[in-house]
């Protein structure tokens, strides 16, 4: 049974990191006229009303997007991200776009979206938000299997965003297994994997990255943001993005962006960021 619902976490620091990276990659893909596709293996509902009961429960967005939105004119490097959020809101920040909604706003007429979601209710929410967009195909299915079935996609350029909830420990293995197979089917795709950094007793990100390091991927870039010290037990103090086949210049963009995000989103003076090539392309 799937219990994770993204509305409880929408717009938090992890969403900001993930969606900033997603936006930067999509904008790079748009620098060529040629069409591309955006595949989202764990799409979620697509758009979140931050004034709703679930986002208000812990109000995680207050330490995420709400810290940046009033300062957006000082962040021209995220202009496309602000444009998407602006189309959903009038003066106040109320609606926050999920990853498929961000892609939908940024993609052009010639581009395609392929979205997968397994949860019976989330898929309906996603269909309501995005279903009428003729560039999109929405699949109610397991995103790991679905991705492999859809590769290689047409058009052949593009980005896969993989954002599982890691409710199940198997997710840590499945991301690696799936990405290895995906690279065999579509070696030139860009793959962006989100993962949480949890308290010391629960965290699996270090061991997962160690496996990725020796998995033979020709290009693997890691971008992490921890907004506070890692707790001993439970809790998520940060998150990371592992990008396979990162477009050129992304590491330069992140070198500037990550320290700024770290300062703006810090919840203690032990906040930190990291940008590292696990495998650097020739
Ligand atoms: C972290 S949320 C996605 C958030 C979304 N990517 C965003 O950034 O707005 C993870 C989603 O994956 C869905 N999910 C869980 N297991 C799945 C699976 N095996 N295949 C596809 N979707 C799954 C959950 O229902 C949830 O909506």
């Amino acid at each position: 049974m799937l219990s994770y619902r993204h509305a409880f976490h929408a717009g938090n620091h992890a969403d900001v990191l993930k969606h900033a990276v997603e936006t930067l990659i999509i904008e790079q893909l748009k620098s060529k006229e040629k069409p591309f596709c955006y595949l989202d293996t764990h799409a979620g509902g697509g758009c979140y009303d931050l004034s709703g009961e679930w986002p208000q429960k812990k109000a995680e967005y207050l330490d995420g997007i709400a810290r940046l939105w009033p300062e957006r004119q000082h962040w021209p490097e995220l202009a496309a991200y602000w444009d998407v959020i602006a189309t959903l809101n009038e003066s106040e920040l109320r609606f926050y776009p999920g990853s498929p909604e961000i892609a939908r706003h940024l993609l052009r007429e010639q581009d395609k979206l392929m979205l997968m979601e397994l949860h019976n209710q989330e898929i309906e929410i996603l269909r309501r938000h995005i279903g009428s967009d003729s560039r999109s195909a929405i699949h109610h299915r397991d995103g790991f299997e679905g991705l492999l079935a859809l590769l290689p996609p047409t058009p052949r350029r593009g980005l896969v965003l993989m954002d599982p909830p890691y409710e199940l420990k198997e997710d840590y293995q499945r991301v690696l297994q799936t990405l290895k197979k995906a690279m065999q089917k579509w070696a030139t795709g860009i793959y962006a994997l989100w993962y949480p950094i949890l308290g010391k007793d629960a965290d699996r990100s270090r061991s997962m990255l160690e496996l990725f390091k020796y998995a033979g991927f020709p290009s693997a870039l890691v971008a992490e943001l921890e907004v506070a010290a890692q707790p001993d037990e439970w809790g998520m103090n940060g998150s990371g993005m592992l990008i396979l086949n990162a477009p050129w210049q992304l590491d330069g963009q992140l070198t500037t962006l990550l320290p700024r995000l770290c300062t703006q989103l810090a919840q203690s003076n032990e906040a930190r960021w990291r940008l590292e090539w696990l495998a650097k392309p020739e």
Side-chain angles (χ1 to χ4, degrees), residues 27 51 58 69 77 86 118 137 146 152 167 193 203 213 232-234 246 254 270:
E27 288 302 293
S51 70
K58 288 197 188 155
W69 181 244
E77 64 273 48
L118 192 56
E167 267 184 310
L193 169 72
D203 187 61
K213 189 169 179 170
D232 283 332
E233 294 164 355
W234 206 240
L254 291 174
E270 288 168 277

Short mmCIF file of all heavy atoms in Angstrom, two decimals, residues 27 51 58 69 77 86 118 137 146 152 167 193 203 213 232-234 246 254 270:
data_model
loop_
_atom_site.label_atom_id
_atom_site.label_comp_id
_atom_site.label_asym_id
_atom_site.label_seq_id
_atom_site.Cartn_x
_atom_site.Cartn_y
_atom_site.Cartn_z
N GLU A 27 15.88 24.11 -19.29
CA GLU A 27 16.25 25.33 -20.02
C GLU A 27 17.46 25.07 -20.93
O GLU A 27 17.55 25.62 -22.03
CB GLU A 27 16.53 26.48 -19.04
CG GLU A 27 15.26 27.01 -18.38
CD GLU A 27 14.23 27.52 -19.39
OE1 GLU A 27 14.51 28.53 -20.06
OE2 GLU A 27 13.16 26.91 -19.54
N SER A 51 -2.30 26.43 0.88
CA SER A 51 -3.21 26.81 1.97
C SER A 51 -4.08 25.62 2.40
O SER A 51 -4.87 25.73 3.34
CB SER A 51 -4.10 27.98 1.54
OG SER A 51 -5.03 27.53 0.57
N LYS A 58 2.53 20.66 8.49
CA LYS A 58 3.85 21.00 9.03
C LYS A 58 4.40 22.26 8.37
O LYS A 58 5.48 22.72 8.72
CB LYS A 58 4.83 19.85 8.80
CG LYS A 58 4.55 18.66 9.69
CD LYS A 58 5.77 17.76 9.71
CE LYS A 58 5.50 16.46 10.42
NZ LYS A 58 6.40 15.39 9.95
N TRP A 69 10.75 33.06 -2.51
CA TRP A 69 9.81 33.75 -3.40
C TRP A 69 9.85 35.28 -3.24
O TRP A 69 9.94 35.99 -4.26
CB TRP A 69 8.40 33.17 -3.15
CG TRP A 69 7.33 33.76 -3.99
CD1 TRP A 69 6.27 34.48 -3.56
CD2 TRP A 69 7.20 33.67 -5.43
NE1 TRP A 69 5.46 34.86 -4.62
CE2 TRP A 69 6.02 34.36 -5.76
CE3 TRP A 69 7.96 33.08 -6.43
CZ2 TRP A 69 5.58 34.48 -7.07
CZ3 TRP A 69 7.53 33.21 -7.74
CH2 TRP A 69 6.36 33.90 -8.05
N GLU A 77 19.10 33.66 -12.04
CA GLU A 77 19.48 32.34 -12.56
C GLU A 77 18.31 31.34 -12.48
O GLU A 77 18.33 30.30 -13.12
CB GLU A 77 20.72 31.79 -11.84
CG GLU A 77 20.58 31.51 -10.35
CD GLU A 77 20.86 32.70 -9.43
OE1 GLU A 77 20.32 33.80 -9.69
OE2 GLU A 77 21.60 32.52 -8.45
N ALA A 86 4.86 31.99 -10.97
CA ALA A 86 4.07 33.22 -11.19
C ALA A 86 2.80 32.95 -11.99
O ALA A 86 1.76 33.57 -11.75
CB ALA A 86 4.92 34.28 -11.88
N LEU A 118 1.82 5.85 -9.58
CA LEU A 118 1.20 4.58 -9.21
C LEU A 118 0.00 4.75 -8.27
O LEU A 118 -0.90 3.91 -8.25
CB LEU A 118 2.27 3.70 -8.53
CG LEU A 118 1.95 2.24 -8.31
CD1 LEU A 118 1.57 1.52 -9.59
CD2 LEU A 118 3.15 1.54 -7.66
N ALA A 137 1.52 12.28 -22.08
CA ALA A 137 0.96 10.92 -21.95
C ALA A 137 1.11 10.55 -20.48
O ALA A 137 2.21 10.64 -19.92
CB ALA A 137 1.75 9.95 -22.81
N GLY A 146 7.83 1.15 -15.83
CA GLY A 146 7.30 1.98 -16.92
C GLY A 146 8.41 2.67 -17.68
O GLY A 146 8.38 2.75 -18.92
N PRO A 152 13.93 3.37 -25.67
CA PRO A 152 14.28 4.78 -25.83
C PRO A 152 13.07 5.57 -26.31
O PRO A 152 12.27 5.05 -27.08
CB PRO A 152 15.37 4.75 -26.93
CG PRO A 152 15.04 3.53 -27.74
CD PRO A 152 14.43 2.54 -26.79
N GLU A 167 9.79 5.16 0.56
CA GLU A 167 9.01 4.56 1.65
C GLU A 167 9.46 3.13 1.86
O GLU A 167 9.41 2.61 2.96
CB GLU A 167 7.55 4.45 1.19
CG GLU A 167 6.65 5.56 1.53
CD GLU A 167 5.25 5.18 1.07
OE1 GLU A 167 5.06 4.76 -0.09
OE2 GLU A 167 4.35 5.31 1.88
N LEU A 193 18.15 12.01 -10.51
CA LEU A 193 17.59 11.21 -9.42
C LEU A 193 17.62 12.03 -8.13
O LEU A 193 18.68 12.53 -7.74
CB LEU A 193 18.42 9.94 -9.23
CG LEU A 193 18.12 9.12 -7.95
CD1 LEU A 193 16.76 8.42 -8.08
CD2 LEU A 193 19.23 8.11 -7.69
N ASP A 203 19.82 6.95 7.47
CA ASP A 203 20.30 7.41 6.15
C ASP A 203 20.90 6.28 5.32
O ASP A 203 21.66 5.46 5.82
CB ASP A 203 21.35 8.51 6.33
CG ASP A 203 21.72 9.11 4.99
OD1 ASP A 203 20.82 9.66 4.33
OD2 ASP A 203 22.89 8.97 4.57
N LYS A 213 28.90 5.10 -7.57
CA LYS A 213 30.27 5.49 -7.94
C LYS A 213 30.98 4.39 -8.72
O LYS A 213 31.75 4.66 -9.64
CB LYS A 213 31.06 5.82 -6.67
CG LYS A 213 32.40 6.44 -6.91
CD LYS A 213 32.97 6.97 -5.62
CE LYS A 213 34.33 7.57 -5.90
NZ LYS A 213 34.82 8.30 -4.74
N ASP A 232 20.78 12.40 14.81
CA ASP A 232 21.20 11.02 15.07
C ASP A 232 20.15 10.03 14.60
O ASP A 232 20.48 8.97 14.10
CB ASP A 232 21.45 10.81 16.57
CG ASP A 232 22.78 11.42 16.96
OD1 ASP A 232 23.67 11.47 16.08
OD2 ASP A 232 22.90 11.87 18.11
N GLU A 233 18.90 10.37 14.80
CA GLU A 233 17.86 9.38 14.52
C GLU A 233 17.12 9.69 13.24
O GLU A 233 17.66 9.66 12.16
CB GLU A 233 16.93 9.28 15.73
CG GLU A 233 17.68 8.73 16.93
CD GLU A 233 16.93 8.97 18.21
OE1 GLU A 233 15.89 9.64 18.19
OE2 GLU A 233 17.41 8.47 19.25
N TRP A 234 15.84 10.01 13.36
CA TRP A 234 14.96 10.17 12.22
C TRP A 234 15.08 11.59 11.66
O TRP A 234 15.91 12.36 12.09
CB TRP A 234 13.53 9.84 12.65
CG TRP A 234 12.68 9.38 11.52
CD1 TRP A 234 11.54 9.99 11.09
CD2 TRP A 234 12.90 8.28 10.64
NE1 TRP A 234 11.04 9.33 10.01
CE2 TRP A 234 11.84 8.27 9.71
CE3 TRP A 234 13.89 7.31 10.53
CZ2 TRP A 234 11.73 7.32 8.69
CZ3 TRP A 234 13.79 6.36 9.51
CH2 TRP A 234 12.72 6.36 8.61
N ALA A 246 24.92 14.89 -17.10
CA ALA A 246 24.55 16.30 -16.88
C ALA A 246 24.93 17.13 -18.09
O ALA A 246 26.02 16.94 -18.65
CB ALA A 246 25.29 16.83 -15.65
N LEU A 254 25.56 25.18 -10.90
CA LEU A 254 25.30 24.71 -9.53
C LEU A 254 26.38 25.20 -8.56
O LEU A 254 26.10 25.39 -7.38
CB LEU A 254 25.20 23.18 -9.51
CG LEU A 254 23.95 22.62 -10.20
CD1 LEU A 254 23.99 21.09 -10.25
CD2 LEU A 254 22.68 23.07 -9.48
N GLU A 270 25.01 24.86 10.73
CA GLU A 270 25.67 23.65 10.21
C GLU A 270 25.15 23.26 8.83
O GLU A 270 25.44 22.17 8.33
CB GLU A 270 25.49 22.50 11.19
CG GLU A 270 26.35 22.71 12.43
CD GLU A 270 25.98 21.76 13.55
OE1 GLU A 270 25.02 22.05 14.28
OE2 GLU A 270 26.65 20.73 13.65
#
